Amino acid sequence: MPTSGESRPHIVLLPSAGMGHLVPFGRLAVALSSSHGCDVSMATAVPTVSAAESRHLEALFVAYPSVRRLDLQLAPLDESRFPGADPFFLRFEAMRRSLPSLLGPLVAGASASALVTDIALSSVVIPVARDLGLPCHVLFTASAAMLSFCAHFPAYLDANSAGSGGGMGDVDVPGVYRIPKSSIPQALHDPNHLFTQQFVANGRGLVHAAGVLVNTFDGLEPEAVAALRDGAVAAGFPPVFAVGPLRPVTFPTTDEPEGKKKDYYYMEWLDAQPARSVVYVSFGSRKALSRDQMLELAAGLEASGHRFLWVVKGAVVDKDDAEGLADLLGGEEFLDRVKPRALVTKAWVEQEAVLRHAAVGAFVSHCGWNSVTEAARSGVPVLAWPRFGDQRVNAGVVARAGLGKWVEGWSWEGEDGVVTAEEVAEKIKSVMADDDGAKKAARVRNAAEAATAEGGSSYRNLAEFVGRCRGA
Ligand code: UDP
Ligand code: UDP
């Protein structure tokens, strides 16, 4: 904790878009302002892409008035120039184009002493911050494994001329480990993809950051954290602060499941289930499963014989997700049959609270990194089913760390084939019966708790980062 005579740095946080980015930035904001004696502002582009983001920000700024809200009005982006692009990648692009002119007035008005931005914006924001004389750090919201991949990927492309059609192979990240071709985010196989262009520019720009905070802890990803710190991944890489798993920020939700207003209805449902009896199933906020895969998953959950809480997502952006549950799942029959032992919902649930509930025994997860960190904090074993982006890299971390199991052959977006109900049921049964796996996951939880407790490695790393901002 800071002592009373110390100056309070004013740190401006500048996340990109999507819950996977806003959630950890909100957690960092609260940690800095509540536990590390900082003044904090958070600048976000409005209106947000999804309703979940806007609800989350409203709740955050109401619950933590000490975190100052700054709204960014972006210049419109001609989206017709990027046909079929993911709406979140389009938002990254719109922010990247607007920030050079917005940033100066923003930080001048806020009297900022330091800036923390998001990897998706960093190659644009870091040079502008330098011109403004402001130290600019990056909060990397995914794994250290993914950070090391992101830092090395431009050099890999240069050496293999994959960018000019040479084709992509496995990527051996120096000092870390080999990322197989099959685990590389889908978009990066196409050098002309909007995401690839942003990703490569941001990877190249990272060496110019004042430092990189990453939402992991030394014990979870020892190889990647050490290799980043000692310059093995990229020469001249800035200081790396492993500050995770960032402590969740909780606030009441007022979601209305299927038109019935009942806050925390799912927590009441969990309260009524025996300890470690429920499989929690969620594929995060970014993508929907294909219709065929959803039906197989439904049948697999039913055939597993276990209780389950399944958060179903029907569209990429929640505002477009109009179809009812029964329609998505092929009729009312499935819902009627599983009702005695399952809760299936399309509404947002406070996942972190769900994972901490004693009734939850396993987590079928897409391995978005926030979900992985939440599983680590709660010690719930993961059945990893990555679908897209960095999720296979993250699933690799889950398996290495003993936090869960990953069936590497299970298909992901863009690959043919669905995972059958039989395979799903069999794997769920085996994870639920795996006492050794549960013990290993509990060990990860203990290590995560130790890292974030006062005096733990992540706590000290965050304090060191704040010390630098104070001295800036
Ligand atoms: N989340 C949640 N309730 C939901 C769906 C998601 O609280 O119904 C949270 C989840 O706990 C995590 C974030 O949204 O903190 C999603 O981030 P993640 O990196 O796991 O995946 P993404 O959605 O970016 O793919
Ligand atoms: N990412 C990156 N550079 C970028 C944009 C994203 O390294 O320019 C990383 C990001 O941290 C994540 C992965 O690439 O590990 C996929 O990004 P996306 O924003 O799609 O992640 P999500 O929203 O699913 O968390």
Side-chain angles (χ1 to χ4, degrees):
M1 290 290 273
T3 55
S4 53
E6 283 179 317
S7 67
R8 288 176 71 85
H10 180 192
I11 302 180
V12 175
L13 305 183
L14 181 54
S16 62
M19 289 301 276
H21 299 258
L22 293 186
V23 165
F25 267 86
R27 290 174 179 174
L28 179 65
V30 172
L32 289 172
S33 93
S34 306
S35 310
H36 288 271
C38 299
D39 290 332
V40 179
S41 301
M42 188 151 111
T44 53
V46 289
T48 56
V49 179
S50 64
E53 292 168 273
S54 118
R55 278 198 305 265
H56 182 79
L57 290 173
E58 288 299 332
L60 176 75
F61 292 120
V62 168
Y64 297 91
S66 60
V67 177
R68 186 141 65 101
R69 172 175 200 154
L70 302 173
D71 287 345
L72 294 168
Q73 307 289 341
L74 305 182
L77 178 73
D78 178 5
E79 298 189 356
S80 64
R81 294 192 43 228
F82 309 96
D86 177 287
F88 293 93
F89 295 165
L90 287 174
R91 175 53 63 88
F92 296 171
E93 189 61 23
M95 293 187 80
R96 290 170 65 80
R97 288 172 188 228
S98 281
L99 281 169
S101 57
L102 293 182
L103 205 54
L106 179 86
V107 295
S111 330
S113 42
L115 191 64
V116 180
T117 195
D118 189 300
I119 183 64
L121 310 175
S122 51
S123 69
V124 166
V125 171
I126 293 168
V128 180
R130 190 184 45 219
D131 291 347
L132 295 167
L134 201 58
C136 182
H137 289 73
V138 171
L139 169 62
F140 196 81
T141 55
S143 52
M146 192 63 197
L147 172 59
S148 67
F149 175 82
C150 172
H152 173 64
F153 190 62
Y156 169 84
L157 289 184
D158 293 344
N160 294 275
S161 56
S164 54
M168 177 101 61
D170 296 349
V171 177
D172 204 351
V173 182
V176 189
Y177 40 76
R178 182 176 290 263
I179 306 285
K181 178 181 176 182
S182 54
S183 286
I184 293 170
Q186 290 92 333
L188 296 181
H189 293 269
D190 173 4
N192 299 317
H193 197 289
L194 173 63
F195 182 75
T196 308
Q197 289 169 0
Q198 296 170 351
F199 190 92
V200 172
N202 290 322
R204 285 193 202 283
L206 267 179
V207 288
H208 303 297
V212 183
L213 291 85
V214 53
N215 189 13
T216 192
F217 60 102
D218 297 28
L220 185 64
E221 302 191 76
E223 307 93 339
V225 172
L228 285 159
R229 279 206 190 115
D230 66 21
V233 175
F237 202 74
V240 173
F241 305 92
V243 297
L246 287 164
R247 213 173 272 279
V249 173
T250 45
F251 24 71
T253 169
T254 51
D255 258 12
E256 297 184 11
E258 305 298 291
K260 286 180 234 108
K261 184 165 174 59
K262 197 166 178 221
D263 293 351
Y264 282 122
Y265 62 99
Y266 48 89
M267 296 303 278
E268 286 166 16
W269 181 82
L270 284 171
D271 287 345
Q273 314 305 319
R276 304 177 51 78
S277 69
V278 173
V279 181
Y280 169 60
V281 185
S282 171
F283 291 86
S285 66
R286 287 283 274 107
K287 292 273 177 178
L289 291 177
S290 72
R291 204 52 62 93
D292 288 351
Q293 187 59 79
M294 212 173 311
L295 294 175
E296 288 295 325
L297 172 58
L301 286 167
E302 186 175 7
S304 76
H306 285 288
R307 294 176 169 82
F308 60 91
L309 167 52
W310 180 13
V311 181
V312 176
K313 196 171 174 344
V316 170
V317 176
D318 50 14
K319 295 169 189 164
D320 307 331
D321 199 350
E323 229 172 328
L325 259 183
D327 295 330
L328 283 169
L329 300 174
E332 292 286 352
E333 296 77 8
F334 167 76
L335 293 171
D336 288 343
R337 281 198 310 274
V338 298
K339 201 165 182 178
R341 63 185 170 86
L343 184 58
V344 184
T345 180
K346 274 186 70 199
W348 188 263
V349 302
E350 288 299 318
Q351 172 169 298
E352 192 275 328
V354 168
L355 285 169
R356 270 190 291 114
H357 198 287
V360 175
F363 179 17
V364 177
S365 172
H366 72 313
C367 292
W369 187 247
N370 294 290
S371 294
V372 173
T373 64
E374 289 155 15
R377 284 194 75 92
S378 58
V380 174
V382 171
L383 173 53
W385 190 349
R387 304 296 310 154
F388 127 106
D390 59 340
Q391 295 158 13
R392 277 190 171 170
V393 174
N394 301 342
V397 176
V398 165
R400 275 168 196 275
L403 182 58
K405 297 271 185 306
W406 172 28
V407 194
E408 296 188 27
W410 282 9
S411 69
W412 74 336
E413 251 196 50
E415 282 179 2
D416 288 338
V418 291
V419 180
T420 64
E422 291 70 31
E423 291 174 87
V424 172
E426 188 251 312
K427 236 10 206 179
I428 287 176
K429 283 194 248 181
S430 95
V431 169
M432 288 295 275
D434 183 359
D435 290 336
D436 187 47
K439 283 191 194 119
K440 284 186 181 154
R443 282 203 284 273
V444 175
R445 178 196 56 218
N446 294 341
E449 266 172 20
T452 50
E454 207 169 322
S457 61
S458 292
Y459 186 94
R460 282 185 279 114
N461 290 335
L462 190 55
E464 189 189 336
F465 157 74
V466 172
R468 282 170 173 254
C469 296
R470 203 171 268 125

